[in-house]
Amino acid sequence: MSPRGRRFASSVRARASLGATAVVAVALVAAGIAVVLSLRSNLTDQAGRSADTAAREVALDIASLVPDQTSYAGLDLPDDSGHPVQVSDERGRLLRASEDLQRISGTGVSAVTPVKSPAASPAPGGTTAPGDDEDSADDDSGADDNGSDDHGGDDKGGDDDASGDDDPAVGEISDGTSYSDGSATVDGTTGDYRFAAVEVTDRAGRTVVVHAGASLADRQAAVSTTTVTMLLGLPVLLLVVGGVTWLVTRRAFRPVEGIRREMAAITASTDLSRRVPEPATDDEVARLARTTNETLTALEAAVERQRRFVADASHELRSPIASLRTQLEVGDAHPELLDVPGAVADTVRLQQLAADLLLLARLDAGERPGRARFDLSAMVREEVSQRTTDRVPVTLDVRTGLEAAGSRGQLARVLGNLLDNAQRHAHASVTASVYRSGGQVVLAVADDGSGVPEAERERIFERFVRLDDARSRDDGGAGLGLAIARDVAARHDGTLTVGRAPEGGALFELRLPRPDGASPGSTDSPSGTDSPGTTNSPGTTSSPDGGHAA
């Protein structure tokens, strides 16, 4: 198969059209068979009713004959070819038959020439020697007298071979009718017939069986016409179904092709500001287009954020590298002027910035912290005890025995960033608190500095953001500490917010879910029982205008 043919066979439109055509074909064939069978059955029943009517008309004439007319020679039988009639006795001997009947099968009486009754005159249609029975009668069909089809009792039931026990009364007609299918030749024309057999007892007490047939030519013609019509119309209808399905699916998938082309163009141009066309409908394709555009928007924002991150990181790295290079070049030319402490400070700053960038990269990659439980209170005491060079001593207000779940190292990094930020802006007081609040554990860091303006309380958590009074790279950080702290909090299913401390400065609150899954209940407030100093309950009022390093 050629590539074009393979593409056609694998397309959704082709599969949908072929599938719909196949389903419709199966349904139409099944429906057609059901219609033909139902039509055949209805027309067969109609022919049976017609045959039963003809048989009962003849039986009525027989029942009304006077005893001296039981030779049936004067019996008036239908002369039309549509209703051939035979009259036989209970042993199957033919007594009377339609004049034009030449050949018959299916009634159990294959003779067409009646036998002579001892007191009767010859019947029309032929002569027979006295005493001859049905075995010597002319059998134009060549069939055995008993070679009839099974008599299918339709709505009245009964048997052709009537027994004396079930014979109708004198001058009465049996209520039961038995049916059979066969063929007959009438006036040189052979056709299929539906036969009805009715028993009747004449006035002389003789029980006979009247066989009357109804032509099935109408049934055969109707069934044949219906079958041919269906066979001729089926291919045309399937072509229409396949064509309509193809056109409908083509119209439905036209927006999908537009989306595909636009996505291919975006991929080739790397222009993430472009968007795929959105249909005006509210169907699945339109929702797909909207979702695709939302994905492109998020991707564009992520790429733009990555570009800014790289640009800001390059800018932040350039200053300490340039300062370190300058000091090393001066030291190389004038060893006595080498500022070793300054070079060490610049190297430490570079190391810290590289560590921050590496941690952000790991967080952006979706790294999830472990769920190991640890003592948060002990971790805070340990981290604060190691900060021996802080400008402002840190006051602890820690409840003992409070645990958290996650990465101890990352949460220690959050505490360190918050304390570093507080040290840069505090006047004389920095407080670290750990307490419970409902189903959460809260780690709070407060200072008595100028606080964070309410309008800037979300912006300071963006990367490389420093407020006006923290622009100096010599005194402030790179603007990554608070961004890292919030990302770590989010990875631990917690939150990090900033508000106003009771002392007037900034109050940062890290809220983490309690690992024991405790429901909201009692709430602790910092009380200072475990530390040399105390703070009041965390406040939430606005702070005066000021600046805070991020």
Side-chain angles (χ1 to χ4, degrees), residues 15 56 156 207 218 230 468 481 538:
R15 293 199 300 270
R56 290 185 178 277
K156 295 184 180 179
T207 300
D218 291 341
M230 288 183 176
D468 292 339

Side-chain angles (χ1 to χ4, degrees), residues 187-338:
D187 197 16
T189 303
T190 302
D192 294 330
Y193 287 82
R194 180 71 165 171
F195 293 104
V198 177
E199 291 184 346
V200 59
T201 302
D202 59 20
R203 296 296 181 89
R206 185 181 184 183
T207 300
V208 296
V209 180
V210 179
H211 301 275
S215 177
L216 295 176
D218 291 341
R219 183 194 74 175
Q220 294 170 343
V223 170
S224 177
T225 301
T226 303
T227 302
V228 171
T229 302
M230 288 183 176
L231 291 177
L232 293 177
L234 180 61
V236 177
L237 184 57
L238 292 181
L239 287 176
V240 172
V241 171
V244 171
T245 305
W246 175 269
L247 293 177
V248 170
T249 53
R250 179 182 181 183
R251 181 180 181 84
F253 282 104
R254 186 178 300 164
V256 177
E257 179 61 22
I259 293 174
R260 187 202 63 79
R261 286 198 300 266
E262 186 63 24
M263 289 297 292
I266 292 173
T267 302
S269 65
T270 66
D271 182 7
L272 296 179
S273 63
R274 299 174 60 173
R275 296 294 181 267
V276 300
E278 294 186 13
T281 58
D282 191 25
D283 55 11
E284 292 82 356
V285 177
R287 291 194 290 271
L288 172 64
R290 286 193 290 271
T291 303
T292 302
N293 284 335
E294 291 171 0
T295 302
L296 289 173
T297 300
L299 183 61
E300 181 185 17
V303 171
E304 182 61 28
R305 185 168 58 251
Q306 188 69 19
R307 289 173 179 171
R308 290 199 307 268
F309 177 78
V310 172
D312 291 339
S314 301
H315 184 72
E316 293 295 334
L317 288 170
R318 183 172 56 189
S319 295
I321 291 176
S323 175
L324 181 61
R325 178 181 177 181
T326 300
Q327 294 182 53
L328 293 177
E329 288 176 348
V330 170
D332 182 54
H334 306 282
E336 70 280 3
L337 299 179
L338 178 61

Side-chain angles (χ1 to χ4, degrees), residues 250-441:
R250 179 182 181 183
R251 181 180 181 84
F253 282 104
R254 186 178 300 164
V256 177
E257 179 61 22
I259 293 174
R260 187 202 63 79
R261 286 198 300 266
E262 186 63 24
M263 289 297 292
I266 292 173
T267 302
S269 65
T270 66
D271 182 7
L272 296 179
S273 63
R274 299 174 60 173
R275 296 294 181 267
V276 300
E278 294 186 13
T281 58
D282 191 25
D283 55 11
E284 292 82 356
V285 177
R287 291 194 290 271
L288 172 64
R290 286 193 290 271
T291 303
T292 302
N293 284 335
E294 291 171 0
T295 302
L296 289 173
T297 300
L299 183 61
E300 181 185 17
V303 171
E304 182 61 28
R305 185 168 58 251
Q306 188 69 19
R307 289 173 179 171
R308 290 199 307 268
F309 177 78
V310 172
D312 291 339
S314 301
H315 184 72
E316 293 295 334
L317 288 170
R318 183 172 56 189
S319 295
I321 291 176
S323 175
L324 181 61
R325 178 181 177 181
T326 300
Q327 294 182 53
L328 293 177
E329 288 176 348
V330 170
D332 182 54
H334 306 282
E336 70 280 3
L337 299 179
L338 178 61
D339 184 9
V340 175
V344 171
D346 287 338
T347 303
V348 171
R349 184 180 176 190
L350 278 174
Q351 182 181 11
Q352 293 175 344
L353 182 57
D356 289 345
L357 294 176
L358 178 61
L359 179 56
L360 282 175
R362 289 163 54 190
L363 294 175
D364 288 342
E367 179 183 285
R368 303 291 299 181
R371 307 308 299 172
R373 297 175 59 166
F374 63 94
D375 191 331
L376 182 64
S377 302
M379 184 270 289
V380 171
R381 289 194 182 91
E382 180 180 347
E383 292 295 321
V384 171
S385 65
Q386 296 175 3
R387 301 177 65 91
T388 58
T389 60
D390 283 344
R391 179 177 61 87
V392 178
V394 178
T395 301
L396 288 177
D397 185 8
V398 178
R399 297 294 183 187
T400 60
L402 296 182
E403 294 184 334
S407 172
R408 189 181 190 279
Q410 290 185 6
L411 292 177
R413 182 70 172 274
V414 171
L415 175 61
N417 290 349
L418 296 179
L419 290 175
D420 290 342
N421 184 76
Q423 288 291 330
R424 284 192 292 269
H425 300 281
H427 297 309
S429 172
V430 174
T431 303
S433 307
V434 178
Y435 58 92
R436 289 178 308 192
S437 178
Q440 295 176 319
V441 178

Side-chain angles (χ1 to χ4, degrees), residues 46-60 83 156 177 179 196 198 212:
Q46 182 179 343
R49 289 191 295 270
S50 177
D52 179 65
T53 301
R56 290 185 178 277
E57 289 178 354
V58 175
L60 183 61
H83 294 92
K156 295 184 180 179
T177 303
Y179 297 92
V198 177

